[in-house]
């Protein structure tokens, strides 16, 4: 795995971890510090995934939502987020984010993901005793390539030992695969039991998970069609299964804080505050 230092990159995991890790995000403003104060803000959408964020250098302060703890943590565990979030970097930063499928995190650690929706904490408070040692090694590593190698060498044997049967399909349509796993047991196949298992593994009910999946696909289509100059929002809403364009707009606001048109304009711009949207799409 050859990596060169650059500003922001989305990196996909090795094949053996494709059903465990959604992606890695590496970002650095060390080499080219952001001079404008407004550019040091970061707008993040709501997400059904869990995350581990390693602050190799620098730190972040949460601006919104207001009820998030303000203490400085070098390795942050984040559960699924139902609200968009805004943070600010007081100075240059170098970070590595690991985006994990929630049911994979549950299988690896036994954590009840539903207890961590809209919450953050130090990795030491949430995960098992092996994880803090990984954190120390990643923080002291000399390069992004070395950090990713450490993480993948840590995760792969644990994932192979604990992953649910047939997990290789998860990377494609992970939400429906989760539902199939939750139902595939000899005990408690009733609807309520299945819903409880889904919530423990992914933190949220199936309805919300499918909503995230539908919105993400619709956003990608909206961006592509907007950039091509042919976006018809009512058509995009209909293809996504929304009742109408207003429904699509409401869902977009819940996840991103913006209407689809506002979001498409942001993605077409070079606004540094929305770097996560551009790298993800």
């Amino acid at each position: 795995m050859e990596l060169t230092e650059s500003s922001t990159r989305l990196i996909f995991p090795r094949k053996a971890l494709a059903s465990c890790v959604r992606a890695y995000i590496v970002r650095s403003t060390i080499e080219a510090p952001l001079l404008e104060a407004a550019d040091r803000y970061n707008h993040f959408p709501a997400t059904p995934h869990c995350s581990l964020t390693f602050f190799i250098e620098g730190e972040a302060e949460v601006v919104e939502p207001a009820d998030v703890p303000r203490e400085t943590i070098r390795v942050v565990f984040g559960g699924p987020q139902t609200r968009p979030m805004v943070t600010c970097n007081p100075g240059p930063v170098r970070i590595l984010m690991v985006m994990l499928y929630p049911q994979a995190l549950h299988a690896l650690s036994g954590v009840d993901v539903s207890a961590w929706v809209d919450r953050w904490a130090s990795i030491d408070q949430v995960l098992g005793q092996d994880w803090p040692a990984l954190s120390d090694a990643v923080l002291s590593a000399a390069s992004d390539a070395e950090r990713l190698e450490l993480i993948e060498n840590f995760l792969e044997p644990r994932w192979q030992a604990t992953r649910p049967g047939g997990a290789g399909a998860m990377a494609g349509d992970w939400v429906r695969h989760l539902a199939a796993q939750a139902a595939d047991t000899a005990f408690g196949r009733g609807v309520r039991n299945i819903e409880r298992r889904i919530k423990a593994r992914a933190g949220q009910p199936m309805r919300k998970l499918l909503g995230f999946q539908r919105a993400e696909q619709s956003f990608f289509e909206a961006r592509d069609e907007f950039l091509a100059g042919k976006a018809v929002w009512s058509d995009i809403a209909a293809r996504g299964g929304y009742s109408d364009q207003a429904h699509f707009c409401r869902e977009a606001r819940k996840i991103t804080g913006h209407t689809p048109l506002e979001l498409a304009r942001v993605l077409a711009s070079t606004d540094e505050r929305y770097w996560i949207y551009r790298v993800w799409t």
Side-chain angles (χ1 to χ4, degrees):
M1 181 186 305
E2 292 188 7
L3 297 175
T4 57
E5 301 300 328
S6 63
S7 178
T8 307
R9 286 163 292 157
L10 182 72
I11 303 167
F12 294 107
R14 64 177 64 155
K15 185 176 180 180
L17 290 170
S19 57
C20 175
V21 177
R22 174 66 176 84
Y24 307 102
I25 300 169
V26 175
R27 178 166 172 82
S28 174
T29 60
I30 300 292
E31 296 77 16
L34 301 172
L35 301 179
E36 298 294 330
D39 289 341
R40 293 198 290 271
Y41 285 80
N42 310 285
H43 286 251
F44 296 95
T47 177
H49 301 304
C50 296
S51 64
L52 300 176
T53 304
F54 298 83
F55 283 87
I56 313 301
E57 299 181 58
E59 61 187 52
E61 299 172 352
V62 178
V63 178
E64 296 176 5
D67 59 350
V68 175
R70 284 343 198 224
E71 69 267 25
T72 299
I73 305 173
R74 289 204 67 190
V75 183
V76 183
F77 169 83
Q81 303 300 312
T82 65
R83 308 166 290 181
M85 180 174 67
V86 181
T87 67
C88 180
N89 303 123
V93 294
R94 188 188 309 280
I95 65 169
L96 167 59
M97 298 177 66
V98 184
M99 304 299 296
L100 294 154
Y101 291 106
Q103 67 268 46
L105 189 281
H106 173 79
L108 285 167
S109 65
V111 167
D112 181 346
V113 180
S114 66
W116 288 96
V117 174
D118 289 330
R119 292 180 61 194
W120 295 265
S122 168
I123 192 174
D124 302 12
Q125 295 178 243
V126 185
L127 303 180
Q129 60 183 3
D130 294 342
W131 295 77
L134 170 68
S135 298
D136 292 342
V138 170
L139 291 173
S140 60
S143 67
D144 289 335
E146 185 178 338
R147 293 176 195 114
L148 291 176
E149 190 77 10
L150 285 166
I151 291 169
E152 296 207 319
N153 289 345
F154 174 88
L155 289 176
E156 184 172 350
R158 290 167 173 79
W159 182 235
Q160 295 302 316
T162 62
R163 72 180 190 173
M170 193 190 305
D173 188 346
W174 70 272
V175 175
R176 296 188 189 281
H177 191 72
L178 168 65
Q181 288 178 348
D184 186 20
T185 177
F187 301 99
R189 286 183 174 169
V191 173
R192 290 187 178 180
N193 287 321
I194 292 172
E195 288 177 347
R196 278 196 293 269
R197 284 194 289 273
I198 289 173
K199 195 168 183 181
R201 296 175 186 181
Q204 300 179 80
M206 178 58 61
R207 174 179 54 82
K208 288 190 175 181
L209 296 175
L210 288 171
F212 273 112
Q213 191 176 58
R214 175 175 65 179
E216 184 177 76
Q217 183 60 44
S218 296
F219 294 161
F220 290 163
E221 288 187 7
R223 175 185 183 274
D224 292 343
E225 294 184 18
F226 178 82
L227 293 177
K230 56 179 183 180
V232 179
W233 300 105
S234 57
D235 290 349
I236 293 170
R239 289 200 304 270
Y242 295 96
S243 57
D244 53 29
Q245 185 174 336
H247 182 200
F248 182 30
C249 289
R250 287 195 300 273
E251 290 299 302
R253 281 190 178 277
K254 286 180 184 178
I255 294 172
T256 70
H258 300 282
T259 66
L261 178 58
E262 291 169 344
L263 184 59
R265 286 173 173 166
V266 164
L267 294 176
S269 74
T270 58
D271 191 328
E272 191 66 31
R273 296 171 298 175
Y274 293 88
W275 60 267
I276 187 68
Y277 289 88
R278 283 192 293 275
V279 72
W280 198 257
T281 56

